[in-house]
Amino acid sequence: MSGAVVAGLLAGYGIAIPVGAVGAYLVAVTARTGWRTGAAAALGVATADGVYALVAVLGGSALVPLLAPVTTPLRWVSAVVLVALAARSAWTAVRAYRARARATRDGTPEERRLTPLRAYATFLGITILNPMTVIYFAALILATGPEGPSTPLDRTVFVLAALVASASWQLFLASGGVLLGRGLTGPRGRLTTALASSTLITGLAVHLVS
C-alpha cells in the first residue's frame, strides 16, 4: 500500500505542478476574490485530477484510443473557455478602473458574485475538459506494469494520494493569489495585475492548441 501512496503522490504532483492557463487563472481569481473562493476553485481543479486518476485506474488504457479522436476538439473548447474568462476578467477590471471603483480585497461587485460554489464548479469544468490528464495517468499506470496499483485497495490509495497531491499544490497556488491580493491597493494596481494575468492566461490557452 505504501508503494501506491508514493506512486499516487508523484503522479498527482506530476500533473499539477506545471502551471498552465488554469493555474494562472486560479492565482488571478484568488487575488481578486479572497481565500475562500480561491480555495474552492483549487479544490475544483484537484477534484478533476482525482476523477481522471480514478478513470485511469479503472480502465484508462481502454479509454485512450476512444479519447484520441476528440483530444484536439476538447483542447480547442478548453482554450476558448479560458480566453473568454480572461477577456471577461480584463473587461471587468477596465470598467472598474474607468468608473474609479473603490478597490478592496473583496473585488468588484461582479467578482463578488463568484461564490466558492461557483468557483468550484467553474474550475472543475475547465479542468475536466482536458483529456490529456486521463491519458497521463493511464500512461503512468501502464508504464509501471505489474508493479502498478492492481488491487482495489491499492487503486483507492493511488487515487486518494493523487487527489491530495493535486489539492495541496492548487491550494499553494491559491495562497500565492492571496499574497498577491494584498498588494492590490488601488484601481491602477488592480487594473495592471488583471490585464497582466489575462494576457498570460490567453497566451497559455493559445499554447494548448498550437
Side-chain angles (χ1 to χ4, degrees):
M1 186 173 71
S2 60
V5 172
V6 173
L9 289 174
L10 292 176
Y13 283 121
I15 194 65
I17 286 179
V19 178
V22 175
Y25 186 50
L26 170 62
V27 173
V29 165
T30 308
R32 293 194 296 273
T33 60
W35 169 248
R36 288 184 60 196
T37 302
L43 293 178
V45 177
T47 300
D49 288 344
V51 168
Y52 273 141
L54 177 62
V55 170
V57 298
L58 292 180
S61 58
L63 289 175
V64 170
L66 299 177
L67 286 172
V70 297
T71 296
T72 298
L74 284 176
R75 280 181 175 175
W76 274 99
V77 171
S78 179
V80 169
V81 170
L82 286 165
V83 169
L85 290 170
R88 182 171 179 268
S89 176
W91 171 244
T92 298
V94 170
R95 188 171 60 183
Y97 180 75
R98 287 177 175 175
R100 294 297 191 273
R102 181 169 174 265
T104 68
R105 287 191 62 198
D106 293 332
T108 66
E110 186 171 352
E111 288 169 340
R112 285 198 295 268
R113 289 199 292 270
L114 184 63
T115 63
L117 182 59
R118 285 183 60 187
Y120 176 86
T122 297
F123 278 80
L124 172 62
I126 60 178
T127 307
I128 212 79
L129 284 172
N130 183 12
M132 291 305 297
T133 306
V134 70
I135 294 174
Y136 163 84
F137 280 118
L140 279 181
I141 292 170
L142 290 174
T144 56
E147 297 179 358
S150 56
T151 68
L153 177 60
D154 282 348
R155 290 176 177 177
T156 301
V157 169
F158 176 87
V159 171
L160 290 177
L163 176 62
V164 168
S166 177
S168 65
W169 180 256
Q170 305 305 333
L171 289 171
F172 172 75
L173 291 181
S175 298
V178 171
L179 295 176
L180 176 63
R182 290 174 180 171
L184 303 176
T185 57
R188 181 167 297 180
R190 293 179 61 82
L191 175 64
T192 300
T193 54
L195 294 179
S197 67
S198 294
T199 301
L200 175 61
I201 293 163
T202 301
L204 291 170
V206 170
H207 181 68
L208 286 175
V209 294
S210 62

